[in-house]
Amino acid sequence: MQTPIPLFHFLIVAAALFSIGLAVAVTKRSVIGILIGLELMLNAVNLNLIAFSRYDPVLLRGQLFALFVIVVAAAEVTVALALVLRVYHHYGSIDPDEMNQLKH
Amino acid sequence: MELAVFYFFAFLALGSAVFILLTKNLMYAAFALFLSLVGVAGLFVLSGADFLAITQLMVYVGGILVLIIFGIMLTRTPDKTDDSQSANRILLNSRRRFWGLTLSISLFLVLIATITQATFRLSGMPIKSRSTIKTLGVELMTSHLLPFEIAGILLLVALIGAAYLALNRSPS
């Protein structure tokens, strides 16, 4: 039996991935760029959950939680892209800084 | 050997994420997101979650990434030139670089400080079994049945809501 990879490594990678995702979500000038950053952050959280779930082999609660996170992420992206299409139809651009009306 | 594979997938995930941060072309960012998701799926396999790695590939690469590329193609700003030989790049400037980098680097330092100071009390032993599918299936159908049904209803609501929202309601 080989020695497992320490938990510390997974946590460092997940922290770095979350920080990069946050930087992407803040700096991109497009709603779709922000969505890509959000996906990176959700993946970092899933990586944490699964890394801890390795030490819970009977119930695997972390993996079950990660499964639900994936489902919610899929639903979120679907609705967000429908909204992006409506916003593009109305404003002619998807830069979030140019959306300055609540009602047309 | 296992550690080398871990470093390879971690480098794949983090390097593609940094490329997403630095690139100006939104289409390249979407393809780099694919590489990053594959890297994360490899890390899932290395921590014993085989079913979730396959789910990650199917849902993210097969669903979400295709949706994002459709979104990019349907909403790009037409900046094409008359020269038919040049590619129509979807360029995108970044903004608030200073605040974005400051925020993310400070968050990273806080997380690193927290992780290095924490002492986790791990109750169980690491996973030894070959596959997690049986445990996941039994748990989903017994103790997590209500969240499972709610997730199904959420997906149905998202499907109908997205189709209704994306409908072209303008009379023209």
Side-chain angles (χ1 to χ4, degrees):
Chain A
M1 195 72 202
Q2 70 267 31
T3 56
I5 300 161
L7 181 65
F8 188 70
H9 287 44
F10 283 102
L11 298 185
I12 297 289
V13 171
L17 202 61
F18 191 88
S19 305
I20 296 171
L22 182 68
V24 170
V26 171
T27 54
K28 288 286 178 194
R29 282 185 69 105
S30 157
V31 179
I32 293 178
I34 293 173
L35 277 179
I36 291 176
L38 274 180
E39 294 307 318
L40 284 179
M41 287 157 82
L42 285 171
N43 267 288
V45 173
N46 271 346
L47 192 55
N48 259 348
L49 287 171
I50 288 177
F52 276 109
S53 169
R54 191 171 51 153
Y55 295 92
D56 182 19
V58 183
L59 290 177
L60 291 176
R61 282 168 289 197
Q63 291 195 17
L64 283 164
F65 205 101
L67 198 59
F68 288 115
V69 169
I70 289 177
V71 170
V72 173
E76 169 239 338
V77 167
T78 319
V79 175
L81 283 172
L83 284 175
V84 164
L85 287 187
R86 297 299 301 166
V87 164
Y88 179 72
H89 199 69
H90 185 237
Y91 289 101
S93 134
I94 51 169
D95 189 347
D97 287 345
E98 292 180 19
M99 299 169 198
N100 47 14
Q101 293 172 320
L102 280 176
K103 190 183 176 196
H104 58 88
Chain B
M1 181 61 200
E2 203 180 345
L3 208 59
V5 178
F6 173 83
Y7 282 130
F8 171 72
F9 281 118
F11 178 76
L12 190 65
L14 290 180
S16 321
V18 170
F19 181 77
I20 292 173
L21 182 60
L22 295 181
T23 184
K24 277 187 174 181
N25 197 329
L26 204 53
M27 211 58 165
Y28 289 173
F31 288 126
L33 181 66
F34 164 70
L35 280 182
S36 184
L37 294 176
V38 169
V40 174
L43 294 181
F44 284 2
V45 171
L46 285 179
S47 66
D50 50 351
F51 177 71
L52 270 168
I54 300 296
T55 312
Q56 160 101 351
L57 282 183
M58 283 179 66
V59 172
Y60 274 97
V61 178
I64 291 179
L65 200 62
V66 171
L67 268 180
I68 283 179
I69 290 175
F70 261 106
I72 292 171
M73 290 194 292
L74 287 175
T75 62
R76 72 195 185 112
T77 46
D79 56 346
K80 50 185 176 185
T81 56
D82 290 333
D83 182 14
S84 62
Q85 295 295 318
S86 68
N88 294 329
R89 293 204 172 87
I90 305 169
L91 291 182
L92 189 72
N93 291 318
S94 56
R95 51 136 199 218
R96 292 197 277 270
R97 286 187 188 189
F98 173 74
W99 285 111
L101 285 184
T102 311
L103 199 63
S104 63
I105 288 174
S106 52
L107 177 73
F108 182 63
L109 291 180
V110 168
L111 286 176
I112 292 294
T114 313
I115 290 170
T116 47
Q117 285 173 9
T119 51
F120 297 109
R121 280 191 173 180
L122 301 168
S123 57
M125 294 303 290
I127 281 182
K128 291 235 170 46
S129 63
R130 289 274 171 211
S131 171
T132 60
I133 295 177
K134 186 164 185 286
T135 315
L136 280 179
V138 168
E139 287 292 314
L140 269 185
M141 280 297 143
T142 53
S143 60
H144 291 71
L145 189 58
L146 184 65
F148 184 70
E149 298 293 337
I150 292 176
I153 293 176
L154 176 75
L155 281 178
L156 179 68
V157 168
L159 182 71
I160 297 175
Y164 177 72
L165 276 175
L167 217 62
N168 193 359
R169 284 192 293 271
S170 66
S172 60

